[in-house]
């Protein structure tokens, strides 16, 4: 009995000491929730120690399809800022989570809502009716949503996040601005380095499993000649794979790039019949073991591609440019 009452007293003391402290420490950080880890990493680089970031999807998960778990709803309920890729990337899982979170700040148009695609020069915006495309199973109905794979778009994403942070915490504007400037400078330096490394391979044709790479392709000069998926989100039929094999053979394409979350069977079958290799890249931060921020994302993908080019005997500067 004594022991029990003592422990109850200790418990009460602990509650009295620590509970009043926790709201203070919680208030001091801006809670930023993002749909994908690339946005969380950019938010961290701008928000620094003023924020606490959390990404719902992990880099090794398909960002088009994520389980809308109740724990994510709780994260969103407590969030000061929510950042998403937009277009239709997260259309199947973000709306139910945001609506379920009942947090007015992060609703579309709220002070804590950021659509990271604002100001991005979108590629592959279809002219067809989005509803018709969706009915056909296409998962890129408003334009290609994988725009973070051009590092220069990272600067626009960072601007959008900066604006959101300033709305929530205007007193920290100069701190965020300083971080934004550093981030942009690092992106410019990185891009110069990455471009230099990719320059000798300008025009090299490759195949991709999914249409994740048009922004990367445009920036770095490789050429994606076709896809293993007949349409984004549609798995290939055997008949379609025969066409892919013929096309790759006639163009002598030796590389197929794939994301870590897609089945490799079709890509491997094509590779076996064409003498190509399947190269797994990091489509997002966290998509491969060493890819832990937005800069290593490009380091990793470019290293991996150049390694693969060498392995299949693609000679640097083999095309005039
Ligand atoms: Zn996609």
């Amino acid at each position: 009995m004594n022991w029990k009452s003592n422990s109850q007293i200790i418990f009460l003391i602990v509650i009295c000491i620590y509970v009043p402290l926790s709201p203070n420490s919680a208030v001091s950080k801006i809670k930023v929730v993002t749909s994908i880890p690339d946005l969380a990493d950019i938010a961290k680089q701008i928000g620094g120690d003023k924020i606490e970031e959390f990404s719902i999807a992990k880099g090794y998960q398909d960002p088009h399809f994520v389980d809308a778990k109740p724990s994510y709803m709780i994260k969103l309920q407590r969030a000061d800022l929510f950042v998403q890729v937009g277009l239709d990337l997260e259309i199947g899982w973000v709306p139910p989570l945001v609506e379920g979170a009942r947090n007015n700040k992060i609703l579309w148009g709220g002070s804590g809502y950021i659509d990271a695609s604002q100001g991005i020069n979108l590629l592959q915006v279809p002219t067809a009716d989005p509803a018709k495309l969706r009915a056909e199973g296409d998962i890129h109905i408003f334009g290609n949503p994988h725009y973070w794979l051009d590092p220069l778009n990272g600067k626009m994403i960072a601007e959008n996040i900066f604006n959101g942070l300033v709305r929530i915490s205007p007193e920290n504007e100069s701190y965020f601005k300083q971080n934004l400037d550093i981030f942009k400078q690092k992106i410019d330096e990185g891009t110069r380095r990455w471009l230099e490394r990719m320059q000798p391979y300008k025009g090299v044709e490759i195949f991709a499993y999914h249409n994740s790479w048009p922004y990367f392709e445009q920036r770095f000069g490789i050429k994606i000649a076709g896809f293993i998926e007949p349409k984004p989100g549609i798995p290939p039929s055997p008949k379609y794979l025969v066409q892919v094999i013929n096309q790759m053979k006639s163009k002598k394409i030796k590389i197929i790039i794939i994301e870590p979350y897609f089945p490799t069977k079709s890509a491997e079958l094509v590779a076996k019949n064409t003498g190509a290799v399947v190269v797994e890249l990091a489509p997002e931060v966290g998509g491969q073991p060493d890819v832990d921020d937005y800069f290593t994302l490009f380091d990793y993908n470019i290293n991996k591609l150049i390694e693969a080019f060498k392995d299949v005997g693609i000679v640097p500067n083999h095309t005039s440019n």
Side-chain angles (χ1 to χ4, degrees):
M1 190 66 182
N2 267 348
W3 178 85
K4 200 177 175 190
S5 44
N6 278 346
S7 65
Q8 278 172 341
I9 290 167
I10 291 168
F11 178 72
L12 282 173
I13 291 170
V14 167
I15 291 280
C16 292
I17 293 172
Y18 290 104
V19 168
L21 287 177
S22 56
N24 288 337
S25 52
V27 164
S28 64
K29 300 250 183 190
I30 302 163
K31 291 190 187 66
V32 180
V33 177
T34 69
S35 60
I36 66 162
D38 305 68
L39 303 178
D41 182 63
I42 296 174
K44 185 69 195 167
Q45 308 214 31
I46 311 307
D49 58 9
K50 309 286 180 206
I51 75 157
E52 196 179 275
E53 75 285 2
F54 175 79
S55 170
I56 296 173
K58 308 297 170 246
Y60 48 81
Q61 283 181 311
D62 183 350
H64 306 87
F65 305 100
V66 175
D67 271 346
K69 292 183 191 163
S71 62
Y72 301 149
M73 233 176 253
I74 295 166
K75 285 274 184 194
L76 286 166
Q77 199 168 38
R78 296 172 183 161
D80 298 304
L81 272 183
F82 171 60
V83 195
Q84 74 167 120
V85 172
L87 304 163
D88 64 344
L89 185 79
E90 311 103 328
I91 213 163
W93 52 281
V94 157
L97 284 175
V98 168
E99 281 153 27
R102 296 169 186 269
N103 175 354
N104 286 339
K105 272 191 292 190
I106 60 151
L107 288 178
W108 286 261
S111 60
Y113 173 73
I114 301 172
D115 178 340
S117 73
Q118 289 285 312
I120 298 282
N121 194 6
L122 293 175
L123 299 178
Q124 301 172 347
V125 178
T127 47
D129 176 15
K132 185 177 169 278
L133 293 173
R134 175 60 72 178
E136 290 167 357
D138 194 326
I139 54 170
H140 291 170
I141 57 175
F142 301 123
N144 194 293
H146 301 273
Y147 56 81
W148 66 90
L149 287 166
D150 174 354
L152 296 189
N153 284 344
K155 294 205 283 186
M156 194 69 232
I157 298 170
E159 289 261 6
N160 290 330
I161 293 175
F162 165 78
N163 289 334
L165 284 169
V166 172
R167 274 200 306 274
I168 295 291
S169 178
E171 66 278 16
N172 287 311
E173 179 168 358
S174 60
Y175 173 74
F176 298 142
K177 181 70 173 61
Q178 199 186 350
N179 289 344
L180 176 67
D181 291 342
I182 295 169
F183 177 79
K184 285 181 175 174
Q185 201 190 331
K186 278 175 76 182
I187 286 287
D188 286 337
E189 286 163 9
T191 307
R192 268 197 295 277
R193 192 175 70 240
W194 298 317
L195 280 171
E196 209 172 285
R197 298 200 59 208
M198 288 297 281
Q199 174 63 28
Y201 300 98
K202 210 170 176 182
V204 170
E205 290 194 294
I206 65 173
F207 252 66
Y209 183 88
H210 177 79
N211 188 0
S212 298
W213 308 93
Y215 299 90
F216 185 91
E217 173 189 27
Q218 178 180 260
R219 182 59 54 206
F220 295 112
I222 46 162
K223 215 169 164 318
I224 295 175
F227 304 98
I228 304 293
E229 284 183 331
K231 265 184 195 177
I234 308 283
S237 65
K239 197 176 152 200
Y240 176 79
L241 286 180
V242 172
Q243 287 172 32
V244 168
I245 291 167
N246 290 338
Q247 201 187 344
M248 282 182 61
K249 273 184 176 167
S250 72
K251 292 188 156 192
K252 298 187 170 55
I253 292 171
K254 295 289 175 209
I255 308 255
I256 302 167
I257 56 173
I258 191 164
E259 293 78 349
Y261 40 75
F262 288 124
T264 53
K265 214 174 141 192
S266 311
E268 274 161 8
L269 179 86
V270 172
K272 208 176 146 201
N273 284 279
T274 54
V277 293
V278 179
V279 182
E280 200 182 276
L281 296 183
E284 285 98 39
V285 170
Q288 296 293 340
D290 295 327
V291 180
D292 46 19
D293 66 24
Y294 192 62
F295 298 97
T296 48
L297 175 73
F298 296 101
D299 285 332
Y300 183 91
N301 288 332
I302 286 168
N303 284 343
K304 200 84 186 169
L305 270 177
I306 292 178
E307 219 173 84
F309 291 156
K310 287 179 180 162
D311 283 351
V312 300
I314 294 169
V315 183
N317 281 321
H318 79 129
T319 52
S320 55
N321 44 62

